[in-house]
Amino acid sequence: MASSVEFVEYVCGQAEGAGDVSYRKMFGEYGIYLDGKFIGVICDNQFFVKITKAGEEILPECPKEPPYDGAKPYFLIEDPEDRDLLHRFLRASFEELPEPKPKKK
């Protein structure tokens, strides 16, 4: 089942206070970016964020599941309602993730 754009926009709206949140359609689902850095995906109307040590410290009980068959596990954000917690979690994860590689010209 593909994700709905309404769900993607809802998650991005909830995450907005963490920075500049955007999304791109990827392989029938959506990649989520924070300040231009790839931070997670939305698959089957579920929000997945890359696993980091900083994220683990903020949400130690957060389930980890692959967003699709063959993928590495990601944090599965089951309840994006607590915006303050979500913002802290996303910023901490963002800081730990590497900068994107420059695109070849």
Side-chain angles (χ1 to χ4, degrees), residues 1-13:
M1 170 182 126
S3 297
S4 70
V5 73
E6 292 83 11
F7 181 77
V8 174
E9 290 175 350
Y10 164 72
V11 168
C12 289

Side-chain angles (χ1 to χ4, degrees), residues 25-42:
K25 194 145 177 97
M26 299 171 55
F27 309 109
E29 294 291 356
Y30 296 87
I32 305 300
Y33 296 80
L34 180 60
D35 292 338
K37 190 185 290 187
F38 181 79
I39 196 163
V41 295
I42 294 180

Side-chain angles (χ1 to χ4, degrees), residues 16 19-21 26 44 68 80-81 104:
E16 247 174 27
D20 180 30
V21 181
M26 299 171 55
D44 294 329
Y68 52 89
E81 284 296 312
K104 295 180 181 178

Side-chain angles (χ1 to χ4, degrees), residues 51-65:
I51 294 176
T52 61
K53 289 180 185 176
E56 183 83 55
E57 288 176 12
I58 293 170
L59 293 177
E61 301 299 318
C62 188
K64 298 172 190 81
E65 296 183 16

